[in-house]
């Protein structure tokens, strides 16, 4: 780091050395979790199963908070009421991903991004997939609508929406 | 508050895989920092340790695991954590230990060993997401950076080659850094643009590599520096930190408001009213090339959307008017998350004390600023230092 220093600590290992030559101990954690979804998210998930999106409103700052929460973090008071928002919105940003959860390459890219939802306060939205788009047609500002799974396949998850697709004429 | 100085720095090589354990790396960096300051562990009153998520090392309570290697036994010892922001946050914690008058000399040690996580450290990033809203989508962490980069580029109509130029500059700057993992004197903008797309618009060479490494700093009071006859102390002029909502899908990602808020705190303390004129060089946090631009704007070093132009015009080159990442940054030296302290606050110390060797900025520099960025794209820590 400085002109005075001569020895830089650390011995580099190649992948081959790491996996074959040096002493290594291995461990696979067996950790399992079950989360209580809580007040706000339990209702949110129940509404997803019914094919609807729901938010909470704060009567102090007048915001419609989405995703819903039981307290307003700005006013620092309880939120007041459940409010349905629409299943249409605007693409705020997106990415076209060629890697999976483990950074392995995938054949068919995944379109993913943030949708701000109509009826919620400006810029409030969720992360989700986009479908029926191509690199040439997807853009920030594109108007989109949720493509829901059939009712009998829904299970109270964000995946009850298969993806968001461009608005069709008349929608 | 008392004046606080940095008087020594140490770091290990940054590499994809190091043979040393987290403890061994910590010890090497800590010993080097003490040697540089001319001190022994007995001179140290308290120790601050910094590291990012435990899941990389696979050892929960990692702070306790490396305690002895950091000189923490029998001393006030604390681990601080602000995710990726830890690299600049643990020196801030050391600062308040000393500025408060509680301690005269504090050793700061930061460490990350990402290679232990199999098959790739990316796998455990999956555990940082909201279990209900995000995890069912099987997110890769690169996604959110890609989304932020796209939003930034779209709002300001930024050309991709101006973003790629940051990766080129930093990987070339890293040629002078003896610990660098990805220094490349010949890399071109075309190389970056032609590297494979990970999550568009992010290409492989837009991203800093996962690394193993440790770094350490010695921080002390003015009186301690004087009585120990320290030759070239570098002073903390201002510190700040700030965090925005974890509901990141409720924010406009084009500008890091939390960083502007953190910088405001640090600049007030450092009496900086015009950062572009009063700051001579910067080490903005650069895990991705667009982040250097994003952070220059958040730090107020230029107007919103102006950083790409400064980069294109050469202003941010080492011999430019506002050198940024003269160390080579995370893009060139490597990204062992919390240990990047060694090339952020560490580089400020080395540049301002004239010890940066081959990397020394050719003109005189008196004031530098650095930041780190972390948690879920929502936190920044800022340090301003003066010679």
């Amino acid at each position: 780091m400085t002109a005075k220093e001569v020895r830089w600590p650390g011995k580099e290992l190649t992948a081959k050395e790491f996996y074959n030559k040096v002493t290594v101990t291995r461990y696979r954690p067996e950790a399992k979790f079950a989360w209580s979804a809580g007040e706000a998210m339990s209702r949110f998930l129940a509404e997803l199963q019914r094919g609807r999106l729901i938010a909470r409103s704060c009567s102090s700052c007048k915001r419609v908070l989405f995703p819903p929460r039981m307290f307003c973090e700005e006013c620092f008071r309880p939120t007041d009421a459940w409010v349905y928002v629409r299943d249409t919105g605007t693409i705020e940003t997106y990415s076209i991903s060629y890697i999976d959860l483990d950074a392995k390459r995938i054949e068919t890219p995944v379109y993913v991004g943030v949708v701000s939802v109509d009826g919620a306060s400006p810029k409030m939205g969720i992360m989700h997939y986009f479908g029926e788009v191509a690199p040439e047609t997807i853009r920030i500002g594109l108007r989109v609508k949720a493509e829901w799974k059939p009712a009998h396949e829904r299970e109270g998850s964000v995946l009850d929406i298969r993806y968001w697709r461009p608005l069709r004429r008349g929608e | 508050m008392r004046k606080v100085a940095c008087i020594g720095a140490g770091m290990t090589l940054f590499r994809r895989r190091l043979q040393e354990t987290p403890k061994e790396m910590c010890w090497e960096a800590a010993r080097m920092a003490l040697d540089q300051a001319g001190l022994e562990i007995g001179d140290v009153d308290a120790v601050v340790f910094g590291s990012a998520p435990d899941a990389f090392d696979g050892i929960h309570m990692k702070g306790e695991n490396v305690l002895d290697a950091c000189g923490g036994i029998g001393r006030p010892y604390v681990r601080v954590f602000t995710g990726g922001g830890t690299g600049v946050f643990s020196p801030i914690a050391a600062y308040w230990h000393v500025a408060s008058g509680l301690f005269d000399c504090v050793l700061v040690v930061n460490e990350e060993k990402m290679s232990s996580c199999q098959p790739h450290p990316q796998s455990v990033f999956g555990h940082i997401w909201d279990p209900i809203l995000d995890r069912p989508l099987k997110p890769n962490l690169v996604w959110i950076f890609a989304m932020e980069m796209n939003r930034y580029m779209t709002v300001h109509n930024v050309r991709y080659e101006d973003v790629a130029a940051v990766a080129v500059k930093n990987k070339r700057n890293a040629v002078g850094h003896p610990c660098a993992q990805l220094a490349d004197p010949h890399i071109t903008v075309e190389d970056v643009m032609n590297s494979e797309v990970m999550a568009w618009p992010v290409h492989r060479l837009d991203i800093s590599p996962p690394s193993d490494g440790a770094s350490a700093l010695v921080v002390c009071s003015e009186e301690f520096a004087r009585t120990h006859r320290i030759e070239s102390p570098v002073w903390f002029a201002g510190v700040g930190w700030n965090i925005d909502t974890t509901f990141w899908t409720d924010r406009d990602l084009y500008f890091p408001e939390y960083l502007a808020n953190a910088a405001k705190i640090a600049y007030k303390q450092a009496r900086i009213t015009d950062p572009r004129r009063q700051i001579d060089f910067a080490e903005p946090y650069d895990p991705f090339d667009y982040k250097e631009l994003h952070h220059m704007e958040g730090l107020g070093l230029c107007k919103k959307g102006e950083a790409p132009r400064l980069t294109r015009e050469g202003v941010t080159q080492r011999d430019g008017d506002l050198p940024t990442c003269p160390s080579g940054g995370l893009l060139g030296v490597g990204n062992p998350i919390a240990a990047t302290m060694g090339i952020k606050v560490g580089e400020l110390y080395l540049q301002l004390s004239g010890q940066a060797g081959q990397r020394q900025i050719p003109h005189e520099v008196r004031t530098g600023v650095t930041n780190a960025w972390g948690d879920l794209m929502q936190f920044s820590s800022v340090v301003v230092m003066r010679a």
Side-chain angles (χ1 to χ4, degrees), chain B residues 103-125:
Chain B
F103 304 104
D104 288 320
C105 182
V106 175
L107 177 64
V108 196
V109 185
N110 280 13
E111 171 273 341
E112 217 72 61
K113 191 169 175 78
M114 300 178 77
S115 66
S116 309
C117 184
Q118 303 292 315
H120 190 280
Q122 186 61 238
S123 312
V124 292
F125 272 128

Short mmCIF file of all heavy atoms in Angstrom, two decimals, chain B residues 103-125:
data_model
loop_
_atom_site.label_atom_id
_atom_site.label_comp_id
_atom_site.label_asym_id
_atom_site.label_seq_id
_atom_site.Cartn_x
_atom_site.Cartn_y
_atom_site.Cartn_z
N PHE B 103 -12.29 7.23 24.22
CA PHE B 103 -11.07 6.47 23.95
C PHE B 103 -10.07 7.33 23.16
O PHE B 103 -10.47 8.21 22.41
CB PHE B 103 -11.39 5.21 23.13
CG PHE B 103 -12.42 4.34 23.77
CD1 PHE B 103 -13.73 4.32 23.30
CD2 PHE B 103 -12.11 3.56 24.87
CE1 PHE B 103 -14.70 3.53 23.90
CE2 PHE B 103 -13.07 2.77 25.49
CZ PHE B 103 -14.37 2.75 25.00
N ASP B 104 -8.77 7.04 23.33
CA ASP B 104 -7.74 7.80 22.63
C ASP B 104 -7.27 7.11 21.36
O ASP B 104 -6.83 7.77 20.42
CB ASP B 104 -6.53 8.03 23.55
CG ASP B 104 -6.87 9.05 24.62
OD1 ASP B 104 -7.55 10.04 24.29
OD2 ASP B 104 -6.47 8.83 25.78
N CYS B 105 -7.27 5.78 21.35
CA CYS B 105 -6.74 5.06 20.19
C CYS B 105 -7.63 3.84 19.90
O CYS B 105 -7.85 3.00 20.78
CB CYS B 105 -5.30 4.62 20.46
SG CYS B 105 -4.57 3.77 19.05
N VAL B 106 -8.15 3.78 18.69
CA VAL B 106 -9.08 2.71 18.31
C VAL B 106 -8.57 2.01 17.06
O VAL B 106 -8.16 2.66 16.09
CB VAL B 106 -10.49 3.27 18.08
CG1 VAL B 106 -11.44 2.19 17.55
CG2 VAL B 106 -11.05 3.89 19.36
N LEU B 107 -8.60 0.68 17.09
CA LEU B 107 -8.23 -0.12 15.93
C LEU B 107 -9.53 -0.55 15.24
O LEU B 107 -10.46 -1.02 15.89
CB LEU B 107 -7.44 -1.35 16.40
CG LEU B 107 -7.01 -2.37 15.34
CD1 LEU B 107 -6.03 -1.76 14.33
CD2 LEU B 107 -6.34 -3.58 16.02
N VAL B 108 -9.58 -0.34 13.92
CA VAL B 108 -10.75 -0.76 13.14
C VAL B 108 -10.32 -1.88 12.21
O VAL B 108 -9.34 -1.73 11.46
CB VAL B 108 -11.28 0.38 12.23
CG1 VAL B 108 -12.68 0.06 11.74
CG2 VAL B 108 -11.23 1.71 12.93
N VAL B 109 -11.03 -3.00 12.24
CA VAL B 109 -10.69 -4.13 11.37
C VAL B 109 -11.96 -4.55 10.61
O VAL B 109 -13.01 -4.74 11.22
CB VAL B 109 -10.14 -5.34 12.17
CG1 VAL B 109 -9.69 -6.44 11.22
CG2 VAL B 109 -9.01 -4.92 13.09
N ASN B 110 -11.85 -4.64 9.30
CA ASN B 110 -12.98 -5.09 8.47
C ASN B 110 -12.56 -6.30 7.67
O ASN B 110 -11.42 -6.37 7.17
CB ASN B 110 -13.42 -3.98 7.50
CG ASN B 110 -14.30 -2.94 8.19
OD1 ASN B 110 -14.39 -2.90 9.41
ND2 ASN B 110 -14.93 -2.11 7.39
N GLU B 111 -13.50 -7.24 7.51
CA GLU B 111 -13.14 -8.50 6.84
C GLU B 111 -14.33 -9.05 6.07
O GLU B 111 -15.48 -8.89 6.47
CB GLU B 111 -12.68 -9.51 7.90
CG GLU B 111 -12.47 -10.92 7.39
CD GLU B 111 -13.71 -11.78 7.38
OE1 GLU B 111 -14.70 -11.48 8.08
OE2 GLU B 111 -13.72 -12.79 6.64
N GLU B 112 -14.03 -9.71 4.96
CA GLU B 112 -15.05 -10.46 4.23
C GLU B 112 -14.38 -11.63 3.54
O GLU B 112 -13.32 -11.47 2.93
CB GLU B 112 -15.69 -9.55 3.15
CG GLU B 112 -17.15 -9.79 2.98
CD GLU B 112 -17.94 -9.24 4.16
OE1 GLU B 112 -17.89 -8.03 4.41
OE2 GLU B 112 -18.58 -10.05 4.84
N LYS B 113 -14.97 -12.80 3.67
CA LYS B 113 -14.46 -13.96 2.94
C LYS B 113 -15.63 -14.57 2.19
O LYS B 113 -16.45 -15.30 2.75
CB LYS B 113 -13.83 -14.98 3.90
CG LYS B 113 -13.06 -16.07 3.15
CD LYS B 113 -12.23 -16.90 4.10
CE LYS B 113 -11.56 -18.05 3.38
NZ LYS B 113 -10.37 -17.68 2.62
N MET B 114 -15.73 -14.22 0.93
CA MET B 114 -16.90 -14.61 0.16
C MET B 114 -16.74 -15.96 -0.52
O MET B 114 -17.72 -16.57 -0.93
CB MET B 114 -17.20 -13.53 -0.89
CG MET B 114 -17.46 -12.18 -0.24
SD MET B 114 -17.75 -10.87 -1.44
CE MET B 114 -19.43 -11.24 -1.93
N SER B 115 -15.48 -16.43 -0.61
CA SER B 115 -15.23 -17.65 -1.38
C SER B 115 -15.73 -18.90 -0.66
O SER B 115 -15.91 -19.94 -1.28
CB SER B 115 -13.74 -17.80 -1.67
OG SER B 115 -13.02 -18.00 -0.47
N SER B 116 -15.97 -18.80 0.65
CA SER B 116 -16.41 -19.99 1.39
C SER B 116 -17.80 -20.43 0.95
O SER B 116 -18.17 -21.59 1.09
CB SER B 116 -16.45 -19.70 2.90
OG SER B 116 -15.24 -19.14 3.31
N CYS B 117 -18.58 -19.48 0.46
CA CYS B 117 -19.97 -19.77 0.12
C CYS B 117 -20.04 -20.48 -1.24
O CYS B 117 -19.56 -19.95 -2.24
CB CYS B 117 -20.74 -18.47 0.10
SG CYS B 117 -22.48 -18.69 -0.20
N GLN B 118 -20.66 -21.65 -1.26
CA GLN B 118 -20.68 -22.50 -2.46
C GLN B 118 -22.10 -22.59 -3.05
O GLN B 118 -23.06 -22.64 -2.28
CB GLN B 118 -20.19 -23.91 -2.10
CG GLN B 118 -18.81 -23.94 -1.49
CD GLN B 118 -17.73 -23.57 -2.49
OE1 GLN B 118 -17.75 -24.04 -3.62
NE2 GLN B 118 -16.81 -22.70 -2.09
N PRO B 119 -22.29 -22.67 -4.36
CA PRO B 119 -21.20 -22.62 -5.33
C PRO B 119 -20.75 -21.20 -5.63
O PRO B 119 -19.67 -21.00 -6.17
CB PRO B 119 -21.88 -23.22 -6.58
CG PRO B 119 -23.33 -22.91 -6.43
CD PRO B 119 -23.60 -22.91 -4.96
N HIS B 120 -21.56 -20.20 -5.24
CA HIS B 120 -21.22 -18.81 -5.54
C HIS B 120 -21.85 -17.94 -4.44
O HIS B 120 -22.95 -18.22 -3.99
CB HIS B 120 -21.81 -18.43 -6.91
CG HIS B 120 -21.34 -17.11 -7.44
ND1 HIS B 120 -21.88 -15.92 -7.02
CD2 HIS B 120 -20.38 -16.79 -8.35
CE1 HIS B 120 -21.26 -14.92 -7.64
NE2 HIS B 120 -20.34 -15.42 -8.45
N PRO B 121 -21.12 -16.89 -4.00
CA PRO B 121 -21.69 -16.06 -2.92
C PRO B 121 -23.06 -15.47 -3.28
O PRO B 121 -23.82 -15.10 -2.39
CB PRO B 121 -20.64 -14.97 -2.70
CG PRO B 121 -19.66 -15.09 -3.82
CD PRO B 121 -19.77 -16.47 -4.36
N GLN B 122 -23.37 -15.41 -4.56
CA GLN B 122 -24.67 -14.88 -4.98
C GLN B 122 -25.81 -15.66 -4.32
O GLN B 122 -26.86 -15.10 -4.01
CB GLN B 122 -24.77 -14.97 -6.50
CG GLN B 122 -26.02 -14.32 -7.09
CD GLN B 122 -26.13 -12.84 -6.80
OE1 GLN B 122 -27.09 -12.39 -6.23
NE2 GLN B 122 -25.12 -12.08 -7.20
N SER B 123 -25.59 -16.97 -4.09
CA SER B 123 -26.66 -17.81 -3.57
C SER B 123 -27.22 -17.29 -2.24
O SER B 123 -28.42 -17.32 -2.03
CB SER B 123 -26.15 -19.24 -3.37
OG SER B 123 -25.47 -19.67 -4.53
N VAL B 124 -26.35 -16.81 -1.35
CA VAL B 124 -26.87 -16.39 -0.05
C VAL B 124 -27.44 -14.97 -0.09
O VAL B 124 -28.14 -14.56 0.84
CB VAL B 124 -25.83 -16.50 1.09
CG1 VAL B 124 -25.51 -17.95 1.36
CG2 VAL B 124 -24.59 -15.69 0.81
N PHE B 125 -27.18 -14.22 -1.15
CA PHE B 125 -27.84 -12.93 -1.30
C PHE B 125 -29.36 -13.15 -1.39
O PHE B 125 -30.14 -12.26 -1.09
CB PHE B 125 -27.37 -12.19 -2.56
CG PHE B 125 -26.16 -11.33 -2.35
CD1 PHE B 125 -25.06 -11.45 -3.17
CD2 PHE B 125 -26.14 -10.38 -1.34
CE1 PHE B 125 -23.94 -10.64 -2.99
CE2 PHE B 125 -25.03 -9.57 -1.16
CZ PHE B 125 -23.93 -9.70 -1.98
#
